[in-house]
Structure formats: C-alpha cells, structure tokens
Amino acid sequence: MSGLLYALLNFFVFTIPWENISMIPKVGTISRLIGIMLMAVYLVEVRKRQSLTRPDGVIVGMFLFVLWSGLSVLWSMNIGLTYDRLLTDIQLLCMVWMIYDLVKSDILQKNLMQAYVLGAYVSVISTLKNFAVGQNVVYNRYAATGFDPNDLGVTIALGIPLAIYLTAHGRPKIFKALNSLFIPIGSIAILMTASRTAAVVVVVALIYVLVGINMKKTTRIALLALLGIGGLLAIRFLPQTIFFRLATITSEMTNGTLNDRTILWMSGLSYFVEHPLLGVGAGAFRTAMFERLGYSVVAHNSYISILVETGIIGIILMSFMIGSLFHRINWGIDNNKMVFFLLIMILLGIFMLSWEYRKPTWFILALVLSTLHLTGDSYSRAGSERR
C-alpha cells in the first residue's frame, strides 16, 4: 500500500466520528471529501497492482443489499430520495470494500481503531466545550457542534471498546495514555448527551472491560478506577436532570412510548403489511409517514426502516450479513471478543436510530469483517503449519 493511500485511509476513519462539526460548502462533510480523494488514489493503486482480494461472502451480501435497495427506485414512493440513498449506499459499500481489501495486518487494523478513537476525541472535546459555555441542544442536553445528542452518544460509545482493546494490546505510551483517558472522558461526554440509547449501548462497552478482554489485573483496576473518578466528577458537575432522564430508561421500555417512537413504528409497520415483499423504496420512509401522519420523519429504528423500505428481501439480506459475522466469531481470540461486543453495541444502537445508511454503522461492520478475515486467515495458516 502506498504511503498516501495509507494516510488517506486513516485520515478518513479519523473524520468519521466528528464529520458533522465541519461542513464544506457544496461538498458536505469533511469525511465525504476525504472519501472521494481516498477512492481516487485507491483506483490508481488497484490499476498498478492489477489484482483484488477475493470477495468475502459478507461483502457479496452487502453488494446484494445495495443492489436490491437500488432496484427499489423502480417502485419507490419517492424516486429522488431512493436515488440519493443509492448513491450513499454505493459510497458506504466502497468504504467497506477498501478497508477489507487494504487492511492486511494486525498493525494496520489497530491503526484504524486508533484513528477512530482519536476522531471521537474531537467530538468529545467539542461536547465538553459546549457544556462549559452552556450551549445545549435541548434543555440540559449537550452535544458536539452539528450533532444530534443520540447520534453523538452512540458514535462516542463505539470508540470505548476500541480504546479498551488498544490499551490492553501494546500501543506506544502516549497512545496508551490517550486510550485509557478516553474511557472515562468519553463516558462523561455520553452522559452530557442524556441519551438513553447511548447509555444502554455504553453499558455493553463497560461489560467488555469487566469480563470481555484479557488484560493485566493492574490495567483492569486502573481502568475501573478511572471510570470511578469519571463517575464522581459527573455526579458532581452535571445537571441532575440528566440523571433523572436516564433513570426513565426502564419505565419507558416497559410502560412508555419511547418518546412516541412506538407509535411511529406501528405506523411504519402498517405500510409493511401493505408492501411486504418490495417495500416502499429505499429512503422513502419519510414520504410514507408524511402520507400517513401528515409530517415527514425517519423511523428511529433501522430494522423497521429497512423492513418498510426494502421489504422482506431487504431484511433477509441484512440478517444474513449480521448472522454471518456472528457465526465466524472465535471466542478464543481476544480481538474476536472485541468485535463481538462492537456488533452487540451497533445492533442495540440502530434499534433506536435510523443508522442503516450512516458511516459509523458501516465502518463497524467493515472493522468486524476485516478483523475476522485477518484472524481467520492467521488461524488457518497456524493450523496448516501444525499439520
């Protein structure tokens, strides 16, 4: 891999957690601009080497999912939105492919993880800054500039198991310190969002540090101590309304409407009953809800969004991708445990967010896939050598 291509790939991943902070006129997010540059350099590299990595079954499943979403333009309720979604899906598929094709070693894999954690730091710092000056998104809920609190909370939470893994697995001292500090500081920033979705997701990350990773006892104790200090600081300085809101998680799940989400989901599912096989068209959930409810809104649930927009075939293809990844996890390998927790976190997060077309979702899937591909190859080679 050329130095420029390697640098662009890492910088692209670095921008994902904070892409909304800096928007470029007539282009969009900074990650989109870097992604275009990355793709151009990648195509030159592929032409030079005149070879590609053999596609994985999960990659084929992703391709079929994007293809099916694109075909829905033929029957979509909103052709313009479906066309826009198709362009987005193609870009996301290209991102997954480039990570799968280019990341050929454990070191490159760890560098991508590190790039995401460092990028998440940018959003954390922006959130802390906005909290310090009292710039909230809604009453006593804070987020990085340009972000929705729920989106931001889950974006940061996804960086925590990466930081835990990198802390335990041999990074230079400066990065080990940054990764260790990210765990409590990132958790505080998540609390500032007062996002119940992010709170549930981050609990999985904290379980990972307790039981999911092999690390020195002293390192585990140090991380737990940092979390404890972070918790005390949060209790001391954050508004009590944040904790009151987070305390309603159980009641909202058992007796509430999840901020009217269940009402929205039932309306969406009524459209699925009417269009069970083909759906209403990728990206057209908003249009369907405008016809039914009188206002345009996303599903706030990626599973229902996929089901309503792409029908049974779409949800089967997505289930195949996720199921294949889980099936390949070898619990005896430490980084396989890490990607297991990442998968659980993203699956929980997208239950309350329309993230089926967002970069963090597809990046995590790409990271899981490339990790399993690398460890699977290493395991197979080791087995062959023993024989």
Side-chain angles (χ1 to χ4, degrees):
M1 189 193 315
S2 70
L4 177 59
L5 184 58
Y6 171 77
L8 282 173
L9 179 61
N10 279 274
F11 190 61
F12 172 75
V13 173
F14 169 71
T15 64
I16 290 175
W18 58 273
E19 62 175 351
N20 291 354
I21 293 177
S22 179
M23 303 293 289
I24 302 172
K26 298 183 180 180
V27 175
T29 64
I30 187 171
S31 62
R32 183 179 183 186
L33 175 62
I34 302 302
I36 293 171
M37 296 169 60
L38 172 63
M39 190 65 191
V41 176
Y42 172 74
L43 291 175
V44 173
E45 177 77 10
V46 169
R47 186 174 180 179
K48 285 181 180 178
R49 74 186 193 198
Q50 296 184 339
S51 65
L52 287 173
T53 303
R54 184 177 178 179
D56 185 277
V58 176
I59 293 284
V60 175
M62 290 180 175
F63 172 79
L64 292 175
F65 177 79
V66 171
L67 177 63
W68 177 251
S69 296
L71 287 174
S72 69
V73 73
L74 299 175
W75 58 82
S76 174
M77 296 180 66
N78 191 318
I79 294 175
L81 289 178
T82 301
Y83 179 72
D84 290 343
R85 176 63 60 82
L86 174 61
L87 293 179
T88 299
D89 285 347
I90 290 173
Q91 294 172 49
L92 293 170
L93 182 61
C94 288
M95 175 189 73
V96 173
W97 172 258
M98 284 189 290
I99 291 174
Y100 174 76
D101 185 45
L102 296 175
V103 179
K104 299 295 187 181
S105 72
D106 182 62
I107 293 176
L108 295 179
Q109 186 84 331
K110 287 178 180 177
N111 287 345
L112 285 191
M113 297 179 194
Q114 190 66 74
Y116 188 93
V117 173
L118 294 176
Y121 253 117
V122 178
S123 284
V124 167
I125 292 170
S126 179
T127 304
L128 295 174
K129 175 189 171 186
N130 288 339
F131 174 78
V133 300
Q135 183 177 334
N136 53 25
V137 179
V138 291
Y139 180 67
N140 278 346
R141 296 187 68 186
Y142 301 86
T145 302
F147 275 89
D148 169 83
N150 296 312
D151 287 347
L152 178 71
V154 176
T155 299
I156 295 173
L158 292 171
I160 291 180
L162 300 179
I164 294 169
Y165 179 80
L166 292 170
T167 299
H169 288 275
R171 304 300 289 171
K173 288 185 178 180
I174 180 64
F175 288 110
K176 188 169 184 178
L178 286 171
N179 292 324
S180 299
L181 288 174
F182 180 80
I183 299 163
I185 295 174
S187 299
I188 292 173
I190 292 169
L191 286 175
M192 289 177 177
T193 69
S195 169
R196 289 172 290 205
T197 300
V200 172
V201 171
V202 82
V203 165
V204 179
L206 300 183
I207 293 174
Y208 175 59
V209 75
L210 288 172
V211 299
I213 185 170
N214 297 319
M215 65 170 62
K216 295 179 181 178
K217 185 177 180 180
T218 54
T219 303
R220 195 187 307 274
I221 292 173
L223 291 180
L224 292 175
L226 285 171
L227 280 169
I229 293 170
L232 292 174
L233 290 173
I235 293 171
R236 173 65 179 84
F237 293 105
L238 297 187
Q240 291 301 303
T241 52
I242 288 177
F243 299 100
F244 292 151
R245 188 175 195 276
L246 295 177
T248 64
I249 292 175
T250 303
S251 60
E252 276 292 319
M253 292 180 66
T254 55
N255 301 313
T257 62
L258 300 175
N259 276 12
D260 295 330
R261 283 183 174 86
T262 54
I263 298 171
L264 176 62
W265 296 345
M266 293 305 296
S267 298
L269 289 174
S270 69
Y271 257 98
F272 167 70
V273 172
E274 297 171 11
H275 308 271
L277 184 62
L278 303 180
V280 300
F285 188 93
R286 288 176 175 271
T287 303
M289 290 302 96
F290 185 81
E291 288 193 0
R292 182 121 320 168
L293 301 176
Y295 58 91
S296 177
V297 64
V298 296
H300 293 288
N301 183 308
S302 295
Y303 307 103
I304 290 177
S305 183
I306 292 171
L307 191 63
V308 173
E309 292 182 355
T310 60
I312 292 174
I313 294 177
I315 202 71
I316 287 175
L317 289 171
M318 189 205 76
S319 300
F320 166 78
M321 290 186 288
I322 301 300
S324 296
L325 292 173
F326 272 116
H327 176 70
R328 291 166 58 176
I329 290 174
N330 183 341
W331 197 252
I333 304 175
D334 209 24
N335 54 4
N336 275 219
K337 296 178 185 178
M338 182 268 294
V339 297
F340 171 82
F341 280 90
L342 274 177
L343 272 177
I344 295 295
M345 289 172 68
I346 199 66
L347 292 178
L348 285 173
I350 66 175
F351 185 81
M352 299 292 287
L353 302 172
S354 291
W355 264 27
E356 69 276 10
Y357 60 97
R358 297 291 298 275
K359 290 186 188 72
T361 302
W362 287 67
F363 169 69
I364 292 301
L365 294 178
L367 190 64
V368 172
L369 175 60
S370 62
T371 300
L372 297 177
H373 182 66
L374 284 173
T375 55
D377 284 351
S378 299
Y379 187 79
S380 298
R381 285 194 298 270
S384 298
E385 290 170 1
R386 284 194 295 270
R387 289 193 294 271

